Amino acid sequence: MRIQILYLFVLLVSFAISADNISVKSPDKKVVLNIKVDNGKAYYSIKYDNCDILLPSRLGIKTNVGDWIDNLSLTNSKVTKESRKYDMSHTKASHVEYEATKLVFKLANCDNKEVTITFMVFNNDVAFRYTIQSSKIMVYGEISSFRFPDSTKAFLSHKQKTNPSYERIYQADKSMTDKSGEGVGYVFPALFHLENDRWALVTETGVTSKYVGSHLSDFSNDNGYTIAYPDKEESSGKGDTYPTMEGSENTPWRTITFGNDLRPIIETTVTFDLVEPLYEPSIDYKPGRYTWSWLIWQLDSINYDDQVKYIDLNAKMGFEYVLIDAEWDNRIGRDKMAQLSKYAQSKGVQLMLWYNSNGNLNNVYQSPRDLMHEKNARDKEMKWMQSIGIAGIKVDFFAGDKQNSMQLYEDILYDANRYGLLVIFHGCTLPRGWEILYPNFVSSEAVVASEMVYFVENDANREPYDLTLHPFCRNAVASMDWGGVIMNRKLSKDNKSRHSRKTTDTFELASGIVTQTFVQCIEMQPNNLDDLPQIEIDFLKNLPTTWDETKFIDGYPGKFVILARRHKQTWYIAGLNAENDTKNLEIKLSMVKGDSKVDYYTDNNDGYSYLDSVKVDINSKIKISMKHNGGFIIIAKNE
Ligand code: CA
């Protein structure tokens, strides 16, 4: 009885409708979503704590079976309270419980045809999608828009016109009216800084083979940013730019996460909350750490003897996986690979192998080629991998965000699961809910990653900026294969030549906590066993890669970040500083019990880590200090 009363109360308080206007509130009442139809056009707007997050922004979709852009009227709406509890193992949290207000309404066009729009209003997120009842729907475009208040600053990565691999630098604090680098808008996620330190993060989730990967258009004064589809030149010009759905299907969810500070951005699980697994895992996929010779020893290291050195390094460190990069088929060969895999397994290590995604969608020459693009070849290859005990694959060089690429990602994932293989993607799109949709998916690059730290000194200079920005943006919505907690001081095999790494050792160690992926690259070289302090080696040996909870503590995208992640009963609090001056802060750690001692890693004067034991007082406040391009780690075992 009490539940029914509560339910009615929610309905009455959070739902108001007139002929052309609907208003609903989040469970905590702080979010107000307003839907209106004005002059035949549909709009949604969002207020949080009585302040504008989104000004009236367009809703509408254009298809072969109907056009819902203009001449619309609002019909048939329903509000319900939703709640859900679920577990996951590959992301920033292991258990989620949420409540949300669900609004479903229909828009009728001048032919009296209807499209259904569903909104989920959470306490710090809003998500929406379209549903069209018909067979074979071709979606020619959407006018779904995001119009922020004028003073808003944008943190955006521009989209590459052809072969987008989400490898363009995020520009911070830019005017929304700036033009994008290649004139085709911006990739997801897109971060916005609103007045009075409010923040918003826009992305999409639930994108499978049934849709294209969307992005945001350039800014327009009328609509702000509008959902845009792939360019015709993607996928070497092959395939449609728009999605085709067989039967009544939903579009992906477009999501916006917001709040009065950056906490909801770091902590959101909205990209996982709205999707369900597409298949069961065929085996119990193991989290872990991998080493990767290619980053610093480069192509020369793709040979049997060097890979033995990395397997031996892994065995000493207790790391689970060794990734062998491109050209292994020519430089090691299949027979020797079977032998190498056997050797690795004898040391408690498993191999992961690199593949070109190609087929006819890309013309990248690196080998092995033509083994991942169609089913027969894939089956044969994966069966062979399974027979020699390979743990996973890294598939590289995808051709864009058209539906043909989304189909290829899904086919690779689906088949890899049949053979018990983990999958990492590089040169690829942003994963959109894939950690849940595809249980053997690990993470994607989709970022200007460690390879650029190796190749270009200026990118090494920018590493602290990148790694303090992504927790609030790219890595807030999906796992990220940055490609390594880098331990060499110089980006070279001899650790003496070429340019130096610009970060301290503690920065790198802390990045292994800040950067989230289920299988983390630890970019250690065999020489690091001799040249690193024992406390750093011990830290890496024990670094977890799965997290039960993630909490925001402090930070500003591109300047510094402090966050806490819990692994079982232990909290790992990590900070990275990209600013020029040493940062001295007193932080309150509500998750750490007072009157106990915690391990505190900081930087000493020569850039190595220094480990101390620090007493936490009754209010659990800790003074921390982060040098320029340095960091800190606190490990609190709450036993
Ligand atoms: Ca890349």
Side-chain angles (χ1 to χ4, degrees):
M1 197 61 205
R2 277 184 64 185
I3 292 167
Q4 281 177 343
I5 291 165
L6 179 69
Y7 184 67
L8 269 178
F9 178 74
V10 168
L11 271 183
L12 289 172
V13 175
S14 64
F15 179 42
I17 182 166
S18 69
D20 53 7
N21 196 312
I22 310 171
S23 183
V24 294
K25 288 184 180 172
S26 57
D28 70 357
K29 315 278 189 292
K30 284 190 172 182
V31 183
V32 179
L33 167 74
N34 192 65
I35 308 293
K36 70 170 180 183
V37 173
D38 188 11
N39 230 348
K41 293 178 168 61
Y43 299 87
Y44 73 111
S45 58
I46 299 170
K47 279 184 192 285
Y48 183 74
D49 250 358
N50 298 315
C51 292
D52 287 321
I53 298 293
L54 276 189
L55 303 174
S57 304
R58 293 288 299 275
L59 292 169
I61 189 164
K62 190 174 179 171
T63 74
N64 62 323
V65 297
D67 176 336
W68 294 272
I69 304 287
D70 294 302
N71 301 311
L72 303 174
S73 55
L74 194 56
T75 65
N76 214 336
S77 61
K78 188 179 164 195
V79 177
T80 51
K81 195 178 163 187
E82 299 276 311
S83 62
R84 188 181 170 206
K85 296 178 187 179
Y86 68 96
D87 295 322
M88 54 184 166
S89 55
H90 291 196
T91 76
K92 65 174 85 165
S94 63
H95 180 75
V96 178
E97 298 189 11
Y98 71 71
E99 289 190 338
T101 308
K102 182 179 182 182
L103 165 68
V104 182
F105 63 93
K106 292 180 196 282
L107 292 173
N109 64 15
C110 51
D111 301 326
N112 246 339
K113 284 189 175 164
E114 289 180 326
V115 62
T116 302
I117 304 181
T118 304
F119 271 87
M120 294 287 281
V121 183
F122 304 85
N123 288 340
N124 286 101
D125 314 89
V126 167
F128 65 93
R129 70 180 183 189
Y130 303 87
T131 311
I132 299 158
Q133 304 291 338
S134 186
S135 59
K136 192 138 182 159
I137 303 152
M138 287 175 259
V139 183
Y140 299 137
E142 295 176 44
I143 199 162
S144 320
S145 301
F146 302 87
R147 198 160 71 85
F148 291 97
D150 285 347
S151 58
T152 302
K153 295 288 186 197
F155 292 64
L156 299 169
S157 163
H158 81 249
K159 184 159 193 277
Q160 296 152 269
K161 195 169 164 62
T162 57
N163 290 345
S165 58
Y166 293 62
E167 291 181 31
R168 291 291 177 267
I169 301 159
Y170 270 88
Q171 305 284 335
D173 277 316
K174 299 300 258 187
S175 162
M176 292 195 293
T177 54
D178 289 357
K179 288 285 162 232
S180 64
E182 295 181 35
V184 290
Y186 304 96
V187 298
F188 288 130
L191 178 66
F192 297 93
H193 190 188
L194 287 69
E195 261 181 4
N196 298 324
D197 240 2
R198 292 167 202 280
W199 291 86
L201 183 66
V202 176
T203 192
E204 65 176 354
T205 189
V207 180
T208 66
S209 62
K210 291 175 175 166
Y211 221 77
V212 298
S214 306
H215 62 281
L216 293 179
S217 69
D218 266 18
F219 178 85
S220 83
N221 284 328
D222 291 344
N223 292 326
Y225 302 93
T226 301
I227 292 288
Y229 289 165
D231 193 86
K232 62 178 186 322
E233 290 179 42
E234 293 179 33
S235 297
S236 303
K238 298 177 181 71
D240 293 328
T241 59
Y242 55 82
T244 299
M245 301 189 288
E246 304 293 336
S248 302
E249 298 283 357
N250 306 304
T251 67
W253 292 99
R254 302 313 173 357
T255 70
I256 170 166
T257 299
F258 47 84
N260 290 338
D261 57 21
L262 286 155
R263 182 196 58 79
I265 309 288
I266 288 261
E267 297 180 10
T268 186
T269 53
V270 70
T271 48
F272 314 121
D273 294 345
L274 295 164
V275 294
E276 303 268 5
L278 290 180
Y279 50 79
E280 288 296 313
S282 66
I283 62 166
D284 185 15
Y285 291 104
K286 269 196 324 201
R289 291 73 48 91
Y290 75 89
T291 55
W292 178 37
S293 69
W294 185 89
L295 182 71
I296 292 176
W297 288 21
Q298 291 278 295
L299 185 61
D300 275 353
S301 70
I302 309 302
N303 66 71
Y304 189 95
D305 292 343
D306 279 354
Q307 294 307 319
V308 165
K309 290 175 190 157
Y310 277 82
I311 291 165
D312 291 345
L313 165 67
N314 262 49
K316 286 186 180 128
M317 291 300 294
F319 295 161
E320 292 77 2
Y321 304 110
V322 167
L323 171 63
I324 304 182
D325 217 273
E327 299 291 343
W328 58 263
D329 54 334
N330 296 322
R331 302 174 64 97
I332 296 174
R334 284 161 188 279
D335 293 344
K336 294 283 271 183
M337 186 58 81
Q339 216 178 308
L340 193 60
S341 179
K342 199 170 173 189
Y343 175 73
Q345 289 169 78
S346 76
K347 297 271 183 173
V349 176
Q350 274 191 293
L351 304 181
M352 300 195 292
L353 300 180
W354 186 98
Y355 286 87
N356 190 329
S357 77
N358 64 319
N360 63 9
L361 295 184
N362 84 42
N363 52 13
V364 178
Y365 66 87
Q366 274 101 330
S367 177
R369 304 178 82 250
D370 290 325
L371 296 172
M372 286 294 137
H373 69 299
E374 62 94 17
K375 189 160 182 56
N376 286 343
R378 211 164 41 227
D379 258 334
K380 191 169 166 229
E381 188 69 8
M382 290 177 172
K383 197 171 185 181
W384 169 73
M385 279 189 265
Q386 187 182 42
S387 76
I388 65 165
I390 301 296
I393 51 175
K394 167 181 169 180
V395 190
D396 206 341
F397 299 124
F398 286 82
D401 285 348
K402 286 180 179 174
Q403 199 168 359
N404 54 12
S405 285
M406 296 299 148
Q407 184 75 56
L408 180 56
Y409 288 114
E410 184 168 292
D411 290 347
I412 291 170
L413 285 158
Y414 181 84
D415 284 339
N417 183 55
R418 292 171 49 231
Y419 295 99
L421 298 167
L422 291 162
V423 180
I424 294 172
F425 292 123
H426 265 231
C428 59
T429 196
L430 175 78
R432 291 151 161 101
W434 292 5
E435 293 87 337
I436 302 290
L437 286 159
Y438 309 109
N440 55 326
F441 171 72
V442 175
S443 63
S444 294
E445 184 183 34
V447 68
V448 189
S450 62
E451 60 187 15
M452 296 310 295
V453 174
Y454 174 84
F455 286 131
V456 182
E457 183 159 21
N458 203 35
D459 285 71
N461 288 328
R462 214 190 49 252
E463 182 190 350
Y465 165 86
D466 286 340
L467 288 183
T468 54
L469 189 143
H470 296 314
F472 301 104
C473 192
R474 162 68 182 83
N475 204 196
V477 301
S479 305
M480 181 172 94
D481 192 53
W482 163 260
V485 171
I486 304 172
M487 296 317 295
N488 260 19
R489 290 293 176 92
K490 297 274 187 177
L491 277 301
S492 55
K493 184 175 176 179
D494 63 13
N495 206 8
K496 294 189 183 87
S497 48
R498 297 188 80 245
H499 58 272
S500 59
R501 202 185 77 220
K502 310 304 175 187
T503 55
T504 68
D505 283 15
T506 312
F507 181 104
E508 289 298 322
L509 300 181
S511 76
I513 297 162
V514 170
T515 300
Q516 182 272 317
T517 170
F518 173 67
V519 180
Q520 181 78 272
C521 179
I522 307 293
E523 195 46 51
M524 264 181 96
Q525 316 305 314
N527 56 286
N528 296 142
L529 282 174
D530 299 321
D531 58 30
L532 291 183
Q534 191 60 39
I535 57 157
E536 296 184 13
I537 290 174
D538 290 344
F539 173 86
L540 290 170
K541 279 181 178 173
N542 296 308
L543 179 65
T545 63
T546 54
W547 306 108
D548 294 295
E549 266 184 274
T550 292
K551 286 193 182 296
F552 168 71
I553 293 175
D554 203 351
Y556 188 96
K559 294 183 178 176
F560 75 106
V561 60
I562 303 172
L563 57 75
R565 298 195 199 271
R566 181 172 66 80
H567 176 78
K568 297 181 178 158
Q569 294 310 309
T570 301
W571 280 98
Y572 291 76
I573 298 113
L576 307 175
N577 182 22
E579 294 195 287
N580 286 331
D581 297 325
T582 297
K583 223 168 179 56
N584 296 305
L585 292 167
E586 193 172 58
I587 55 172
K588 198 162 165 30
L589 301 175
S590 53
M591 69 287 291
V592 176
K593 285 177 189 155
D595 285 331
S596 61
K597 282 194 170 174
V598 297
D599 289 343
Y600 176 63
Y601 294 78
T602 185
D603 294 308
N604 71 11
N605 287 331
D606 53 17
Y608 290 115
S609 288
Y610 173 77
L611 174 59
D612 203 357
S613 173
V614 175
K615 197 169 178 305
V616 185
D617 76 16
I618 194 74
N619 295 315
S620 296
K621 273 191 180 168
I622 296 185
K623 284 195 173 84
I624 58 109
S625 178
M626 291 192 284
K627 288 186 195 301
H628 162 63
N629 291 353
F632 82 93
I633 301 156
I634 290 168
I635 302 180
K637 295 186 179 73
N638 273 343
E639 280 143 358

